[in-house]
Amino acid sequence: MIGNNVYGGGNGKEKYYIYNNGQELNGHTITFHHKGSTDKKDLNWIHIYDFYMSVTSTDKISCEGYSKIFAAAMGDGRTTSTNPTRFTYLKLTDESGAALSEENDNDYVPNGNILTELNLANYPDSASFGGIYSIDIPDGTAEFYLHIQNVNIHTYILAIWLE
């Protein structure tokens, strides 16, 4: 079952879906920034294109009562450019938007302060990844923007939820 405050599996934990199986849920909008264009490549996945890509939530995500954010994701950097800079980060920030350019490798940062982050893939340590990833939401955080940075790896997000 997909929807608000879904109870899933045998663990009985409440899940608050932000994105699931092609649907944006609970009033949150995820904006795609890629050289001025927006795109969802597949019906069920958010496809974050391999080059200089940033995906941010344009609505703040309320996390009152939740301690973790989860993402079901997979990525592959083996078949993309030969550029040695390849990474995918999941970040919680206090501002929306991002500054992305090809000018230098350190310029792919979100606006505002990074509250916490998770490195899904960082070549050459990992050229591919897949599974369910979680980030602890910092104590005292009431809301945040979700920010996904992607450089030279094809990343696919199936679901994002809070527990």
Side-chain angles (χ1 to χ4, degrees):
M1 179 176 165
I2 299 171
N4 294 347
N5 300 324
V6 176
Y7 291 86
N11 61 11
K13 286 192 175 182
E14 184 177 354
K15 293 182 182 180
Y16 181 83
Y17 278 94
I18 297 160
Y19 180 87
N20 196 347
N21 200 33
Q23 297 179 16
E24 290 174 356
L25 304 168
N26 298 315
H28 297 297
T29 303
I30 297 172
T31 297
F32 297 74
H33 301 279
H34 183 232
K35 299 181 181 174
S37 67
T38 61
D39 199 2
K40 285 185 183 174
K41 298 290 185 181
D42 296 301
L43 291 176
N44 297 327
W45 294 92
I46 297 173
H47 175 216
I48 307 173
Y49 189 62
D50 65 342
F51 292 112
Y52 305 95
M53 182 75 167
S54 165
V55 175
T56 60
S57 59
T58 54
D59 298 332
K60 274 190 174 177
I61 297 167
S62 175
C63 58
E64 293 279 345
Y66 299 97
S67 60
K68 291 183 180 283
I69 184 167
F70 291 82
M74 67 180 184
D76 189 358
R78 293 175 293 181
T79 58
T80 60
S81 99
T82 57
N83 187 325
T85 302
R86 302 180 199 175
F87 58 79
T88 300
Y89 282 96
L90 229 56
K91 300 184 179 202
L92 310 186
T93 65
D94 63 0
E95 290 185 29
S96 66
L100 286 178
S101 78
E102 299 179 45
E103 292 175 14
N104 72 55
D105 293 341
N106 298 316
D107 199 25
Y108 316 115
V109 295
N111 295 335
N113 296 307
I114 298 169
L115 305 174
T116 188
E117 67 182 41
L118 179 66
N119 183 352
L120 298 183
N122 198 335
Y123 183 83
D125 297 336
S126 174
S128 61
F129 62 92
I132 296 175
Y133 301 89
S134 69
I135 305 175
D136 290 332
I137 298 170
D139 290 342
T141 303
E143 56 188 9
F144 60 85
Y145 292 96
L146 177 64
H147 181 94
I148 304 168
Q149 287 176 263
N150 201 66
V151 172
N152 296 326
I153 293 177
H154 283 280
T155 300
Y156 300 87
I157 307 289
L158 177 60
I160 303 166
W161 69 93
L162 300 173
E163 282 189 16

